[in-house]
Amino acid sequence: MMDILMIEDQGRPAARASAALAGAGWHVALHGDGYGGIDAIRKIRPRMVILNKALPNRSGIEILAELRADENASLALTPVLVLVGSPEEGAGVTQADAILAKPLAERDLQAAVRRMLR
């Protein structure tokens, strides 16, 4: 089973975050666009999702809303960490389990994932 699916369009930050999480022992898959994001979640069925709020083609908020409304209850309850550009941007993100502002500090990201995957 895949531990984490990260849906992030910024290649370098996604690679750094993925490496930090893999270095801590988690299996991470990357998806680089809002388009197909919900399909990737349904296909991979990760233990948690890290989702950028601002994605091209489909926002992270739209993906999160569709995930929460999924008819499969276990999928709908998948823990989601939403990444935002600033703390102020996180104010309207109500369906997420946790929110982190970029730029991401490795230890903050790892700590959030550790809490969510307990």
Side-chain angles (χ1 to χ4, degrees):
M1 173 185 252
M2 186 62 57
D3 292 315
I4 303 163
L5 172 61
M6 177 178 247
I7 303 175
E8 169 63 74
D9 63 310
Q10 297 177 346
R12 205 170 267 172
R16 271 187 259 137
S18 177
L21 295 169
W26 292 295
H27 296 97
V28 182
L30 294 174
H31 184 81
D33 194 331
Y35 181 76
I38 193 70
D39 295 328
I41 295 169
R42 288 180 178 135
K43 179 181 177 185
I44 295 171
R45 297 197 177 262
R47 292 176 57 205
M48 78 169 286
V49 174
I50 298 175
L51 183 60
N52 186 351
K53 180 181 177 186
L55 290 166
N57 299 312
R58 187 153 192 228
S59 79
I61 300 306
E62 291 172 310
I63 294 168
L64 178 57
E66 187 171 348
L67 176 64
R68 293 298 186 232
D70 197 276
E71 62 186 32
N72 180 319
S74 66
L75 191 65
L77 294 173
T78 302
V80 177
L81 169 64
V82 172
L83 305 178
V84 295
S86 68
E88 296 78 29
E89 286 184 34
V93 183
T94 58
Q95 293 183 310
D97 297 286
I99 299 166
L100 276 180
K102 295 179 186 179
L104 298 173
E106 282 186 21
R107 71 174 178 267
D108 293 341
L109 178 60
Q110 290 171 342
V113 170
R114 198 172 293 113
R115 281 191 304 273
M116 294 174 74
L117 289 182
R118 283 189 185 158

